Amino acid sequence: MTHTSLNDLPILLAILGFGVMGIGALVSPHRVSRQFDIPTLTAAGRNEVRAVYGGFGLAMAAGLAAALAVPGLRAGVCLAVAAALAGMAGGRLVSAGIDRALGRLPALYLVLETVMAAALAYAALGRQA
């Protein structure tokens, strides 16, 4: 792999992750909610999961794909997605502090969000057009 392709790797991994999350949430919102000890969803709950995890995930994947295709978008899109991921991780930390608990899967997602936020920030600054 060249330096350029290594610098694209965080973006490609984020596209894959957001794509899987988005499609999974649209197809099976219960699978998403069960990870967080929410065994059943009402129609409104399924709508929320499909919107927040599904639609948002696919929009993030599309934005990151555009960042690869249009170099002028790269830094802005990567930094925006990195900020979103950092915000998610921060929200988990606040919640863990308030509740004095952090489940295994939320802890795993906290680590993934933090690592991907840092990797996308690096990718944003690593290659300018």
Side-chain angles (χ1 to χ4, degrees):
M1 289 187 131
T2 67
H3 173 69
T4 301
S5 65
L6 282 177
N7 199 35
D8 291 345
L9 187 59
I11 300 171
L12 293 168
L13 289 173
I15 290 169
L16 177 64
F18 277 117
V20 167
M21 178 183 85
I23 292 168
L26 290 173
V27 171
S28 182
H30 286 102
R31 184 171 285 165
V32 173
S33 66
R34 282 188 205 117
Q35 295 176 61
F36 305 104
D37 298 328
I38 305 168
T40 61
L41 292 171
T42 63
R46 288 187 301 275
N47 183 283
E48 186 67 11
V49 170
R50 286 182 174 123
V52 174
Y53 288 87
F56 177 78
L58 292 178
M60 293 296 101
L64 288 163
L68 284 177
V70 181
L73 297 177
R74 183 187 184 98
V77 170
C78 287
L79 289 175
V81 176
L85 287 165
M88 292 163 73
R92 290 184 195 283
L93 288 174
V94 169
S95 183
I98 291 170
D99 295 332
R100 299 201 188 280
L102 183 63
R104 198 176 97 213
L105 274 177
L108 172 63
Y109 291 135
L110 168 66
V111 170
L112 288 173
E113 290 156 359
T114 302
V115 169
M116 283 310 304
L120 285 172
Y122 171 79
L125 304 173
R127 180 185 78 180
Q128 299 298 317

